[in-house]
Amino acid sequence: MSNTIDPIPTYDVVVIGAGFAGIYLVHKLRDDLGLDVKVFERGAGIGGTWYWNRYPGARCDLESDSYSLSFNDEIEQEWNWTERYASQPEILRYVNFVADKLDVRGNIELNTTVTGAVFDEGTDTWTVTTDTGASARARYLVSATGILSVPSMPTFEGMDTFAGEIYHTGDWPHEGVDFTGKRVAVIGTGSSGIQSIPVIAEEAASVTVFQRTATFTVPAANRPMTENERKATKRSYKQLREQMRRSQVGVLLEPGIGNFADVDLRVVRGELERRWRGAGMSTSMVLSDNLRSIEANNYTSQFVRDKINEIVDDPAVAKMLEPHDYPIGTKRLPIDTNYYDTFNRDHVSLVSIRDTPIERFSPAGIVVDGREHEFDAIVLATGFDAATGALDRIQFEGVDGRLMKDEWAEGAKSYLGLASPGFPNFFTVTGPGSPAILTNVIGSIEHHVEWIADYISYLRAAGITRTEATPEATERWTTHVAELAAMTLYPTAASWYMGANVPGKPRVFLAYIGGLHNYRDRCEKIATDGYPGFTHDGGTGLAARAEAVAAEV
Ligand code: N01
């Protein structure tokens, strides 16, 4: 703490959230820049998404050695992943290992939810308030609130009358839940439902899945990592990480073999079959234009529908499980362990609520189409108010009393996903308009943290006390993000990428689709050119240069 007279503790930077982003921010800003950093974290522990999402079967959909931090050799070499796709408990152990290695716990205040932040134009600082009464002031405010951190809670009639237990996958009890002998309902068939349903079915007396939209999923082919694999990865980490940074999505997926119109479909079929046996997300990318051409996409989609019909014994159930409502890949493609097979088990059943929605909850269960289904427990796997949800819940008050939630009422607008006009000295890690949600999020986090740290360092060196994204640069970036998305099939799906899963949320595509590699280049050029698109006040030489460059761009 640098100020002992002010009743509000003052820091150089306040960070909101102690997931991977918050932890790395502390390290980068404190240890590399020598800044005084304070983090407020809502949870009683660190880890963000991996702290809250403890539902049965929760695991990463990217391979462990990709979904891990790259900036520290010691962490990279000492940590041993045990499975190809790490489970939630293992990732949470990893987060804690990283926090101990970097010695960041002293900077983090747990059990403290940030409720508001007000920018003071007199001092160019933010004052942050929390639900515990703790407050803090800082020149810079950085949100590291995560993309999938606010569970989306449906509001079914009679929910409070249900006599059994109701759980949300995104806010799972820390002590775990014993479903042995219980009749369990699961509502929702996105990644969380798809991962949890087979595991819940292992212990429950019965599982009934309520499906609104049938989902494409491909086999994870998860398995233990061998010691040899671990050693080989550790030896080649340097090159692997560099390739990931230079890739479209920040992870090494198998490339497409050509466009639909140009390739022999027998070859495509063979390749789909090969990838189905263990290529995870790359399975849907055999055709290079899968996300641009509906013909290509139909071919891949039909391949998965055929697989469903091969796997599922009851043709009527297979029919219900066949996805027809969106092109494959335009929603995050889950990777599963025994999802479709689970519907062959006698105690697992499927209820389609596509045409006959849930009418209400009753004390005994769930009523659909006039029929009451009885349960002991109901699991809501209904997703998240993604990307903007956590920011909307904080009262950010920028210049002239401007509120971020008003500014974003028609859809989030940001410059590079990192900053917004009217909110000076405020940066968002994995914000809307960045590529984060379409990438290996750890790669995006590392990029954003490093870019923000470099920028803060630049501002301090120049004596600039206030920076803000310009409305013009923000408008250009937001338009560019939307135009790129419109060139793909993504906007045709009612996905959380589009904000479509939350009633009343504006339908705006939330990510830059141009690729992590291109985004990195763009951000680097902006830094090299003196940060065009940002205003610079209070500085001297460097600031004047930056403004001259900005005027030219
Ligand atoms: O959420 P979702 P999720 N009545 O929004 C249904 C990441 N993740 O938690 O499609 C009835 O995908 C909804 O139906 P519909 C990953 O990025 C990663 O599963 O809107 N149903 C849908 O079926 C993922 O994409 C991993 O018609 C309702 C489901 O609930 C993201 O998190 C693991 C409903 C929600 O699916 C979100 O996944 C888990 C209602 N009122 C999650 N409201 C990894 O592997 C919603 N639904 C790392």
Side-chain angles (χ1 to χ4, degrees):
M1 218 185 294
S2 52
N3 186 340
T4 49
I5 301 161
D6 191 334
I8 300 179
T10 301
Y11 305 88
D12 295 312
V13 187
V14 167
V15 173
I16 313 172
F20 278 114
I23 290 169
Y24 187 28
L25 277 162
V26 174
H27 170 64
K28 194 79 196 154
L29 298 171
R30 183 195 65 185
D31 301 339
D32 290 0
L33 268 59
L35 302 183
D36 203 359
V37 185
K38 175 76 175 181
V39 183
F40 291 115
E41 164 56 50
R42 170 170 67 102
I46 59 170
T49 281
W50 299 106
Y51 174 83
W52 299 102
N53 283 266
R54 297 168 186 242
Y55 60 84
R59 68 174 65 247
C60 193
D61 56 6
L62 298 178
E63 292 182 68
S64 314
D65 40 21
S66 305
Y67 191 85
S68 51
L69 293 159
S70 72
F71 67 86
N72 183 299
D73 288 346
E74 230 174 272
I75 291 172
E76 216 169 54
Q77 293 301 321
E78 280 182 32
W79 182 261
N80 291 316
W81 293 108
T82 65
E83 290 180 272
R84 182 179 179 203
Y85 296 102
S87 66
Q88 174 273 329
E90 183 163 22
I91 300 174
L92 191 57
R93 280 198 299 279
Y94 172 71
V95 178
N96 279 279
F97 168 79
V98 171
D100 289 335
K101 272 273 168 203
L102 302 176
D103 191 21
V104 296
R105 291 185 198 275
N107 294 69
I108 301 170
E109 194 158 329
L110 299 171
N111 296 306
T112 309
T113 301
V114 171
T115 50
V118 180
F119 185 70
D120 175 12
E121 299 198 51
T123 57
D124 292 338
T125 58
W126 284 92
T127 301
V128 172
T129 47
T130 69
D131 65 342
T132 64
S135 53
R137 183 171 292 148
R139 162 114 327 135
Y140 302 105
L141 176 62
V142 185
S143 77
T145 45
I147 298 165
L148 298 160
S149 47
V150 175
S152 173
M153 290 297 285
T155 50
F156 297 111
E157 189 191 323
M159 252 173 112
D160 54 347
T161 67
F162 178 60
E165 302 291 332
I166 299 179
Y167 305 101
H168 193 291
T169 46
D171 188 10
W172 201 257
H174 288 199
E175 62 280 12
V177 179
D178 183 3
F179 287 118
T180 311
K182 300 261 172 73
R183 298 162 302 167
V184 182
V186 180
I187 301 173
T189 52
S191 301
S192 304
I194 279 169
Q195 287 186 336
S196 59
I197 287 161
V199 183
I200 294 172
E202 289 297 321
E203 59 182 32
S206 70
V207 175
T208 307
V209 177
F210 291 85
Q211 173 190 273
R212 188 165 70 181
T213 305
T215 311
F216 292 103
T217 168
V218 298
N222 186 33
R223 54 173 171 71
M225 295 255 280
T226 66
E227 186 53 28
N228 281 344
E229 278 176 317
R230 270 196 292 273
K231 279 187 182 147
T233 304
K234 285 182 185 186
R235 272 197 304 274
S236 52
Y237 253 140
K238 280 271 170 298
Q239 300 90 295
L240 283 176
R241 302 292 200 189
E242 196 43 37
Q243 286 170 0
M244 287 184 216
R245 283 185 203 110
R246 302 307 317 156
S247 70
Q248 169 86 14
V249 291
V251 67
L252 301 183
L253 298 171
E254 296 190 45
I257 62 170
N259 289 344
F260 182 69
D262 305 330
V263 287
D264 180 342
L265 291 179
R266 279 168 310 185
V267 177
V268 175
R269 186 86 196 183
E271 183 62 6
L272 280 165
E273 289 286 355
R274 186 189 69 76
R275 293 195 189 187
W276 178 264
R277 289 192 293 274
M281 284 201 183
S282 305
T283 310
S284 70
M285 298 171 189
V286 172
L287 286 165
S288 311
D289 53 351
N290 191 57
L291 287 169
R292 296 189 309 276
S293 149
I294 195 64
E295 289 78 21
N297 199 288
N298 283 342
Y299 190 85
T300 314
S301 297
Q302 191 53 45
F303 171 81
V304 176
R305 290 185 206 117
D306 291 346
K307 284 288 171 202
I308 297 169
N309 283 282
E310 275 171 34
I311 297 167
V312 178
D313 297 337
D314 181 335
V317 175
K319 197 86 210 139
M320 275 201 277
L321 287 168
E322 274 187 21
H324 287 280
D325 291 330
Y326 66 98
I328 188 168
T330 56
K331 291 184 176 190
R332 178 101 173 185
L333 181 66
I335 58 166
D336 72 271
T337 302
N338 300 330
Y339 178 67
Y340 295 126
D341 304 75
T342 296
F343 291 91
N344 290 333
R345 303 186 69 164
D346 290 340
H347 68 304
V348 177
S349 51
L350 183 63
V351 176
S352 174
I353 50 170
R354 185 177 189 272
D355 302 320
T356 48
I358 290 173
E359 276 168 36
R360 61 189 166 84
F361 282 24
S362 66
I366 294 175
V367 180
V368 177
D369 208 12
R371 179 180 160 205
E372 185 177 57
H373 302 257
E374 295 190 1
F375 301 110
D376 303 303
I378 296 173
V379 173
L380 304 172
T382 47
F384 301 88
D385 184 353
T388 54
L391 297 171
D392 284 347
R393 280 157 180 78
I394 298 170
Q395 178 98 344
F396 290 107
E397 195 177 319
V399 295
D400 303 328
R402 226 183 268 187
L403 296 181
M404 183 165 272
K405 62 169 174 288
D406 293 343
E407 298 294 308
W408 286 9
E410 305 292 313
K413 287 188 173 185
S414 78
Y415 181 37
L416 305 167
L418 293 165
S420 289
F423 299 87
N425 300 352
F426 175 38
F427 301 105
T428 44
V429 178
T430 67
S434 93
I437 62 181
L438 298 175
T439 67
N440 173 359
V441 75
I442 300 212
S444 288
I445 285 172
E446 287 191 330
H447 169 268
H448 299 347
V449 168
E450 287 158 15
W451 192 92
I452 291 167
D454 285 348
Y455 189 28
I456 289 177
S457 174
Y458 169 92
L459 295 168
R460 287 168 62 84
I464 297 166
T465 56
R466 174 170 163 170
T467 181
E468 190 180 327
T470 66
E472 298 75 26
T474 303
E475 200 56 49
R476 275 200 301 273
W477 182 254
T478 306
T479 304
H480 178 57
V481 167
E483 283 172 354
L484 287 182
M487 292 162 69
T488 71
L489 298 173
Y490 276 104
T492 64
S495 66
W496 64 261
Y497 294 159
M498 290 292 298
N501 65 323
V502 175
K505 192 164 174 170
R507 291 210 177 189
V508 172
F509 194 71
L510 290 165
Y512 169 74
I513 217 167
L516 184 62
H517 51 339
N518 293 326
Y519 176 82
R520 290 181 72 99
D521 288 348
R522 190 136 185 173
C523 290
E524 195 178 322
K525 173 144 176 47
I526 287 168
T528 314
D529 288 350
Y531 299 94
F534 288 94
T535 63
H536 288 145
D537 295 316
T540 50
L542 268 177
R545 183 171 75 79
E547 283 184 4
V549 174
E552 281 166 26
V553 174

mmCIF file of all heavy atoms in Angstrom, residues 186-194 196-197 209-213 215 339 353 358 379-383:
data_model
loop_
_atom_site.group_PDB
_atom_site.id
_atom_site.type_symbol
_atom_site.label_atom_id
_atom_site.label_comp_id
_atom_site.label_asym_id
_atom_site.label_seq_id
_atom_site.Cartn_x
_atom_site.Cartn_y
_atom_site.Cartn_z
ATOM 1 N N VAL A 186 -31.705 -33.613 -15.612
ATOM 2 C CA VAL A 186 -30.700 -32.647 -16.085
ATOM 3 C C VAL A 186 -31.356 -31.804 -17.169
ATOM 4 O O VAL A 186 -31.881 -32.344 -18.143
ATOM 5 C CB VAL A 186 -29.442 -33.343 -16.653
ATOM 6 C CG1 VAL A 186 -28.432 -32.297 -17.124
ATOM 7 C CG2 VAL A 186 -28.802 -34.281 -15.631
ATOM 8 N N ILE A 187 -31.314 -30.489 -16.989
ATOM 9 C CA ILE A 187 -31.842 -29.567 -18.005
ATOM 10 C C ILE A 187 -30.650 -28.897 -18.678
ATOM 11 O O ILE A 187 -29.843 -28.248 -18.009
ATOM 12 C CB ILE A 187 -32.751 -28.494 -17.366
ATOM 13 C CG1 ILE A 187 -33.932 -29.151 -16.642
ATOM 14 C CG2 ILE A 187 -33.256 -27.513 -18.439
ATOM 15 C CD1 ILE A 187 -34.791 -28.182 -15.843
ATOM 16 N N GLY A 188 -30.530 -29.089 -19.987
ATOM 17 C CA GLY A 188 -29.428 -28.458 -20.709
ATOM 18 C C GLY A 188 -28.470 -29.482 -21.269
ATOM 19 O O GLY A 188 -28.040 -30.409 -20.565
ATOM 20 N N THR A 189 -28.152 -29.320 -22.542
ATOM 21 C CA THR A 189 -27.263 -30.274 -23.220
ATOM 22 C C THR A 189 -26.145 -29.543 -23.958
ATOM 23 O O THR A 189 -25.811 -29.886 -25.102
ATOM 24 C CB THR A 189 -28.072 -31.166 -24.185
ATOM 25 O OG1 THR A 189 -28.853 -30.325 -25.044
ATOM 26 C CG2 THR A 189 -28.989 -32.109 -23.452
ATOM 27 N N GLY A 190 -25.587 -28.502 -23.329
ATOM 28 C CA GLY A 190 -24.342 -27.906 -23.826
ATOM 29 C C GLY A 190 -23.181 -28.705 -23.258
ATOM 30 O O GLY A 190 -23.356 -29.833 -22.764
ATOM 31 N N SER A 191 -21.979 -28.133 -23.284
ATOM 32 C CA SER A 191 -20.792 -28.870 -22.819
ATOM 33 C C SER A 191 -20.964 -29.384 -21.391
ATOM 34 O O SER A 191 -20.570 -30.513 -21.075
ATOM 35 C CB SER A 191 -19.558 -27.977 -22.854
ATOM 36 O OG SER A 191 -19.328 -27.506 -24.132
ATOM 37 N N SER A 192 -21.545 -28.552 -20.512
ATOM 38 C CA SER A 192 -21.653 -28.953 -19.104
ATOM 39 C C SER A 192 -22.599 -30.141 -18.950
ATOM 40 O O SER A 192 -22.308 -31.082 -18.200
ATOM 41 C CB SER A 192 -22.148 -27.786 -18.245
ATOM 42 O OG SER A 192 -21.311 -26.672 -18.399
ATOM 43 N N GLY A 193 -23.752 -30.099 -19.644
ATOM 44 C CA GLY A 193 -24.680 -31.228 -19.593
ATOM 45 C C GLY A 193 -24.032 -32.471 -20.182
ATOM 46 O O GLY A 193 -24.099 -33.572 -19.601
ATOM 47 N N ILE A 194 -23.378 -32.292 -21.315
ATOM 48 C CA ILE A 194 -22.787 -33.445 -22.023
ATOM 49 C C ILE A 194 -21.683 -34.104 -21.200
ATOM 50 O O ILE A 194 -21.525 -35.323 -21.217
ATOM 51 C CB ILE A 194 -22.325 -32.974 -23.413
ATOM 52 C CG1 ILE A 194 -23.560 -32.958 -24.314
ATOM 53 C CG2 ILE A 194 -21.225 -33.852 -23.982
ATOM 54 C CD1 ILE A 194 -23.381 -32.286 -25.628
ATOM 55 N N SER A 196 -21.524 -33.934 -17.817
ATOM 56 C CA SER A 196 -21.998 -34.424 -16.514
ATOM 57 C C SER A 196 -22.977 -35.596 -16.621
ATOM 58 O O SER A 196 -23.008 -36.464 -15.741
ATOM 59 C CB SER A 196 -22.636 -33.276 -15.707
ATOM 60 O OG SER A 196 -23.715 -32.713 -16.409
ATOM 61 N N ILE A 197 -23.771 -35.640 -17.693
ATOM 62 C CA ILE A 197 -24.831 -36.659 -17.783
ATOM 63 C C ILE A 197 -24.275 -38.095 -17.665
ATOM 64 O O ILE A 197 -24.760 -38.877 -16.838
ATOM 65 C CB ILE A 197 -25.674 -36.443 -19.071
ATOM 66 C CG1 ILE A 197 -26.559 -35.195 -18.878
ATOM 67 C CG2 ILE A 197 -26.517 -37.667 -19.409
ATOM 68 C CD1 ILE A 197 -27.088 -34.591 -20.175
ATOM 69 N N VAL A 209 -33.026 -36.542 -19.126
ATOM 70 C CA VAL A 209 -32.401 -35.360 -19.733
ATOM 71 C C VAL A 209 -33.476 -34.564 -20.470
ATOM 72 O O VAL A 209 -34.187 -35.113 -21.318
ATOM 73 C CB VAL A 209 -31.286 -35.789 -20.715
ATOM 74 C CG1 VAL A 209 -30.686 -34.574 -21.406
ATOM 75 C CG2 VAL A 209 -30.220 -36.595 -19.988
ATOM 76 N N PHE A 210 -33.587 -33.283 -20.126
ATOM 77 C CA PHE A 210 -34.532 -32.394 -20.805
ATOM 78 C C PHE A 210 -33.746 -31.586 -21.836
ATOM 79 O O PHE A 210 -32.918 -30.760 -21.480
ATOM 80 C CB PHE A 210 -35.239 -31.485 -19.783
ATOM 81 C CG PHE A 210 -36.178 -32.249 -18.897
ATOM 82 C CD1 PHE A 210 -35.720 -32.882 -17.739
ATOM 83 C CD2 PHE A 210 -37.525 -32.355 -19.228
ATOM 84 C CE1 PHE A 210 -36.584 -33.609 -16.935
ATOM 85 C CE2 PHE A 210 -38.394 -33.077 -18.419
ATOM 86 C CZ PHE A 210 -37.924 -33.714 -17.271
ATOM 87 N N GLN A 211 -34.023 -31.859 -23.095
ATOM 88 C CA GLN A 211 -33.223 -31.285 -24.184
ATOM 89 C C GLN A 211 -34.034 -30.293 -25.016
ATOM 90 O O GLN A 211 -35.057 -30.648 -25.598
ATOM 91 C CB GLN A 211 -32.742 -32.434 -25.090
ATOM 92 C CG GLN A 211 -32.040 -31.986 -26.346
ATOM 93 C CD GLN A 211 -31.810 -33.124 -27.310
ATOM 94 O OE1 GLN A 211 -30.808 -33.826 -27.221
ATOM 95 N NE2 GLN A 211 -32.739 -33.342 -28.240
ATOM 96 N N ARG A 212 -33.563 -29.034 -25.044
ATOM 97 C CA ARG A 212 -34.237 -28.033 -25.884
ATOM 98 C C ARG A 212 -33.627 -28.029 -27.288
ATOM 99 O O ARG A 212 -34.326 -27.962 -28.273
ATOM 100 C CB ARG A 212 -34.132 -26.651 -25.239
ATOM 101 C CG ARG A 212 -34.962 -25.605 -25.942
ATOM 102 C CD ARG A 212 -35.143 -24.376 -25.098
ATOM 103 N NE ARG A 212 -33.900 -23.611 -24.952
ATOM 104 C CZ ARG A 212 -33.804 -22.491 -24.242
ATOM 105 N NH1 ARG A 212 -34.868 -22.023 -23.598
ATOM 106 N NH2 ARG A 212 -32.668 -21.851 -24.154
ATOM 107 N N THR A 213 -32.289 -28.099 -27.324
ATOM 108 C CA THR A 213 -31.598 -28.125 -28.619
ATOM 109 C C THR A 213 -30.626 -29.301 -28.612
ATOM 110 O O THR A 213 -29.762 -29.384 -27.738
ATOM 111 C CB THR A 213 -30.809 -26.820 -28.838
ATOM 112 O OG1 THR A 213 -31.705 -25.716 -28.696
ATOM 113 C CG2 THR A 213 -30.181 -26.779 -30.212
ATOM 114 N N THR A 215 -27.422 -31.353 -29.470
ATOM 115 C CA THR A 215 -26.077 -30.782 -29.597
ATOM 116 C C THR A 215 -25.137 -31.739 -30.313
ATOM 117 O O THR A 215 -25.157 -32.938 -30.040
ATOM 118 C CB THR A 215 -25.507 -30.520 -28.180
ATOM 119 O OG1 THR A 215 -26.497 -29.830 -27.434
ATOM 120 C CG2 THR A 215 -24.253 -29.709 -28.226
ATOM 121 N N TYR A 339 -21.151 -39.881 -24.207
ATOM 122 C CA TYR A 339 -22.420 -39.140 -24.123
ATOM 123 C C TYR A 339 -23.545 -39.888 -24.840
ATOM 124 O O TYR A 339 -24.545 -40.253 -24.228
ATOM 125 C CB TYR A 339 -22.270 -37.730 -24.698
ATOM 126 C CG TYR A 339 -23.583 -36.970 -24.667
ATOM 127 C CD1 TYR A 339 -24.166 -36.610 -23.454
ATOM 128 C CD2 TYR A 339 -24.270 -36.638 -25.845
ATOM 129 C CE1 TYR A 339 -25.384 -35.935 -23.411
ATOM 130 C CE2 TYR A 339 -25.479 -35.961 -25.805
ATOM 131 C CZ TYR A 339 -26.034 -35.613 -24.591
ATOM 132 O OH TYR A 339 -27.236 -34.953 -24.550
ATOM 133 N N ILE A 353 -37.811 -30.927 -25.112
ATOM 134 C CA ILE A 353 -38.625 -29.765 -24.723
ATOM 135 C C ILE A 353 -38.506 -28.683 -25.812
ATOM 136 O O ILE A 353 -38.710 -27.514 -25.563
ATOM 137 C CB ILE A 353 -38.211 -29.215 -23.330
ATOM 138 C CG1 ILE A 353 -36.686 -28.995 -23.253
ATOM 139 C CG2 ILE A 353 -38.705 -30.128 -22.233
ATOM 140 C CD1 ILE A 353 -36.246 -28.241 -22.014
ATOM 141 N N ILE A 358 -40.756 -26.810 -20.892
ATOM 142 C CA ILE A 358 -41.101 -27.094 -19.498
ATOM 143 C C ILE A 358 -42.222 -26.133 -19.086
ATOM 144 O O ILE A 358 -42.081 -24.920 -19.251
ATOM 145 C CB ILE A 358 -39.850 -26.923 -18.607
ATOM 146 C CG1 ILE A 358 -38.858 -28.045 -18.903
ATOM 147 C CG2 ILE A 358 -40.235 -26.862 -17.124
ATOM 148 C CD1 ILE A 358 -37.508 -27.901 -18.228
ATOM 149 N N VAL A 379 -30.653 -30.918 -11.972
ATOM 150 C CA VAL A 379 -29.385 -30.256 -12.307
ATOM 151 C C VAL A 379 -29.647 -29.286 -13.459
ATOM 152 O O VAL A 379 -30.147 -29.687 -14.514
ATOM 153 C CB VAL A 379 -28.325 -31.302 -12.736
ATOM 154 C CG1 VAL A 379 -27.060 -30.609 -13.241
ATOM 155 C CG2 VAL A 379 -28.008 -32.243 -11.580
ATOM 156 N N LEU A 380 -29.334 -28.038 -13.228
ATOM 157 C CA LEU A 380 -29.452 -27.025 -14.283
ATOM 158 C C LEU A 380 -28.086 -26.901 -14.964
ATOM 159 O O LEU A 380 -27.132 -26.423 -14.349
ATOM 160 C CB LEU A 380 -29.855 -25.675 -13.696
ATOM 161 C CG LEU A 380 -31.141 -25.664 -12.880
ATOM 162 C CD1 LEU A 380 -31.338 -24.310 -12.195
ATOM 163 C CD2 LEU A 380 -32.350 -25.988 -13.765
ATOM 164 N N ALA A 381 -28.021 -27.373 -16.198
ATOM 165 C CA ALA A 381 -26.772 -27.235 -16.980
ATOM 166 C C ALA A 381 -27.073 -26.188 -18.039
ATOM 167 O O ALA A 381 -26.909 -26.424 -19.242
ATOM 168 C CB ALA A 381 -26.387 -28.572 -17.592
ATOM 169 N N THR A 382 -27.537 -25.036 -17.583
ATOM 170 C CA THR A 382 -28.146 -24.050 -18.484
ATOM 171 C C THR A 382 -27.190 -22.925 -18.889
ATOM 172 O O THR A 382 -27.615 -21.921 -19.445
ATOM 173 C CB THR A 382 -29.413 -23.455 -17.828
ATOM 174 O OG1 THR A 382 -29.114 -23.096 -16.473
ATOM 175 C CG2 THR A 382 -30.550 -24.445 -17.847
ATOM 176 N N GLY A 383 -25.923 -23.077 -18.597
ATOM 177 C CA GLY A 383 -24.924 -22.169 -19.158
ATOM 178 C C GLY A 383 -24.698 -20.883 -18.386
ATOM 179 O O GLY A 383 -24.987 -20.799 -17.182
#
